[in-house]
Amino acid sequence: MSGAAEHAPAAGTTSVRRSRDVPLLVERARAGDPRAVARLITLVENGDTLLPEIAATLAPYAGQAQVVGLTGSPGVGKSTTTNELVRALRARGHRVGVLAVDPSSPFTGGAILGDRVRMQDHATDPGVYIRSMSSRGHLGGLAAATPQAVRVLEGAGCDVVLVETVGVGQAEVEVASLADTTLVLLAPGMGDAIQAVKAGILEIADVFVVNKADRDGVDATVRDIQGMIALGERGPGQWRPQVVRSIAARGEGIDDIAAAIDKHRGWLVEHGELRRRQEARAAAEIEAIALGILRARIGSLRDGTELATLATKVAEGATDPYTAADDLLAQLAR
């Protein structure tokens, strides 16, 4: 099911690449056709009018894949770690999907989509699907279409989906609402001890991975993280984040990372947290879709007179913006 390499054209290739037959595309995707998977994700990314039908067709397969998020600052080795995790998961016989989100230019909207360049080892593996996605200006480290793209990979029969975030800074926390297990990668020399107690990205970790552990200062980095974990308040039975060392470029420590993910997965199942996280993920999706529909309807009002009339009243002081907003929502409801 590899999506990182080109294959010789097969019968029906052209029709699949341009098809709008959702049941056919889902059927082909579940059979391992990478072109069908690519087509579905493209339709999702573009916000196609077929999106509701795609979501409905994929609904029976929701929640069947383990979703693992990887985040951290640029240069800590997210793509290399992802590559090695794919290798370890494939050795276990898992089908693996990878969604690697890259930043988009605020000026041109373009993106390099170069993360999968580091994952060429799996380019011809039919059990791996790798897709680079542009953030398209979406904040939080993911693309707006990432949750639905995860559903496509679940529907395509992936046992594990790895989601690698943009890697831009400490506010990149959206992945925690999408993943069952979140890995936060750090590296020695990326900052002083105060980085370990900052709110935000470090608070979302289920597993801390100190990569590039052959560098000077690795012991101090591990101590800082462990000290930060010790300061956190946890009730009986609550998960305590694991700290793992690795040198992903040499494939060292990857088994330890996989073991930490397995341990967290076991805790999620044992304590009913997995279902809670899946329900919270679904709630976030529903809210995002509903807000998107509302924004579209508000946008359509700009072509009429309702919004302009309310704006004039607010500008003249005849009403306040909160009352105007209530009036606008009432019009949308009608």
Side-chain angles (χ1 to χ4, degrees):
M1 191 177 60
S2 176
E6 291 297 327
H7 299 273
T13 293
T14 301
S15 61
V16 168
R17 284 178 174 170
R18 299 180 182 178
S19 176
R20 297 182 63 80
D21 184 338
V22 173
L24 172 64
L25 288 171
V26 172
E27 179 184 350
R28 295 286 292 272
R30 290 192 61 75
D33 185 344
R35 296 178 181 86
V37 178
R39 177 60 174 161
L40 287 168
I41 294 180
T42 296
L43 291 170
V44 165
E45 280 192 289
N46 292 338
D48 195 275
T49 55
L50 290 174
L51 189 50
E53 183 183 354
I54 293 172
T57 308
L58 292 172
Y61 314 112
Q64 296 185 9
Q66 181 180 7
V67 183
V68 178
L70 296 93
T71 189
S73 300
V76 296
K78 292 190 299 299
S79 294
T80 305
T81 301
T82 300
N83 183 67
E84 294 303 315
L85 273 176
V86 171
R87 193 188 313 280
L89 291 167
R90 288 296 292 143
R92 297 181 177 186
H94 293 312
R95 294 179 73 178
V96 184
V98 179
L99 296 174
V101 185
D102 275 338
S104 56
S105 168
F107 304 105
T108 66
I112 295 176
L113 303 180
D115 282 331
R116 62 182 179 177
V117 171
R118 298 184 179 92
M119 305 179 200
Q120 287 301 304
D121 294 348
H122 312 291
T124 58
D125 186 342
V128 179
Y129 184 89
I130 301 171
R131 174 76 172 223
S132 289
M133 304 179 70
S134 168
S135 65
R136 300 193 181 190
H138 186 75
L139 301 178
L142 301 178
T146 304
Q148 294 304 318
V150 168
R151 288 187 177 276
V152 171
L153 293 179
E154 285 183 315
C158 290
D159 302 304
V160 182
V161 178
L162 304 177
V163 181
E164 180 188 332
T165 70
V166 169
V168 291
Q170 295 162 340
E172 196 178 301
V173 298
E174 189 176 352
V175 68
S177 65
L178 177 65
D180 301 323
T181 300
T182 301
L183 310 185
V184 172
L185 276 69
L186 305 101
M190 298 296 287
D192 55 27
I194 201 67
Q195 300 296 331
V197 294
K198 284 189 176 179
I201 192 170
L202 294 182
E203 293 179 325
I204 68 172
D206 298 307
V207 179
F208 287 100
V209 178
V210 181
N211 192 35
K212 304 184 180 182
D214 51 344
R215 287 184 174 182
D216 292 338
V218 63
D219 292 334
T221 301
V222 170
R223 282 197 305 271
D224 290 339
I225 297 170
Q226 290 175 334
M228 184 271 293
I229 294 172
L231 292 174
E233 296 182 1
R234 292 176 183 82
Q238 285 190 306
W239 174 255
R240 181 184 177 87
Q242 306 288 291
V243 184
V244 181
R245 306 185 190 208
S246 68
I247 308 174
R250 300 207 297 253
E252 297 179 13
I254 302 302
D255 289 341
D256 294 334
I257 297 174
I261 294 172
D262 290 342
K263 185 175 181 180
H264 183 246
R265 177 77 172 188
W267 179 85
L268 290 173
V269 173
E270 180 183 351
H271 291 80
E273 182 68 11
L274 180 61
R275 173 56 62 184
R276 192 201 69 78
R277 292 194 179 195
Q278 290 174 337
E279 291 176 355
R281 183 190 314 165
E285 283 186 74
I286 294 168
E287 182 181 6
I289 292 169
L291 289 173
I293 293 171
L294 283 175
R295 290 191 191 99
R297 291 181 180 176
I298 291 173
S300 68
L301 289 179
R302 292 181 180 275
D303 297 329
T305 61
E306 294 91 345
L307 186 57
T309 300
L310 289 170
T312 299
K313 289 181 179 180
V314 172
E316 291 175 347
T319 188
D320 65 272
Y322 286 93
T323 300
D326 286 339
D327 290 344
L328 182 62
L329 288 174
Q331 293 180 37
L332 288 173
R334 290 196 295 271

